[in-house]
Amino acid sequence: LFQQLCYMKCSILTNGTFKLRTSAWSCCQADTINSCFFSNQKLNVGMCSGFDVGGTGGCPRTPGKCLDNEEMFLGECYEKCSILTNG
């Protein structure tokens, strides 16, 4: 959770080298935010791409919120059965 949105973890996006998220588009190679500087951050800018992605890809989402064409099951969002079965 970063700024009230669920993002994919920086540690996953950077194979563990930049673990701390500092913005929607940047991850830091430090243990605390106070130790983050331009020189130890990695940027990957994109809208719903790069580092600006949710835990399952696509755009980051608010916690517990699915897209209009999805429904929640066991805490995960899935495409609605009515769409998958045409009715």
Side-chain angles (χ1 to χ4, degrees):
L1 189 65
F2 179 80
Q3 294 183 347
Q4 305 305 311
L5 292 174
C6 295
Y7 288 90
M8 186 174 293
K9 291 181 177 182
C10 281
S11 59
I12 294 170
L13 293 167
T14 65
N15 295 317
T17 56
F18 295 80
K19 298 179 183 178
L20 185 63
R21 183 169 291 279
T22 51
S23 79
W25 306 283
S26 61
C27 300
C28 180
Q29 193 176 34
D31 293 325
T32 65
I33 194 73
N34 295 337
S35 300
C36 293
F37 305 98
F38 187 76
S39 61
N40 65 342
Q41 292 192 62
K42 185 170 186 165
L43 298 172
N44 193 334
V45 179
M47 293 302 291
C48 302
S49 63
F51 290 163
D52 184 33
V53 292
T56 57
C59 295
R61 301 184 192 166
T62 56
K65 175 97 170 97
C66 294
L67 299 175
D68 290 339
N69 66 339
E70 297 175 328
E71 56 194 358
M72 189 171 291
F73 180 72
L74 298 176
E76 295 287 328
C77 295
Y78 297 92
E79 190 165 13
K80 289 182 178 178
C81 288
S82 60
I83 295 170
L84 294 170
T85 61
N86 295 317

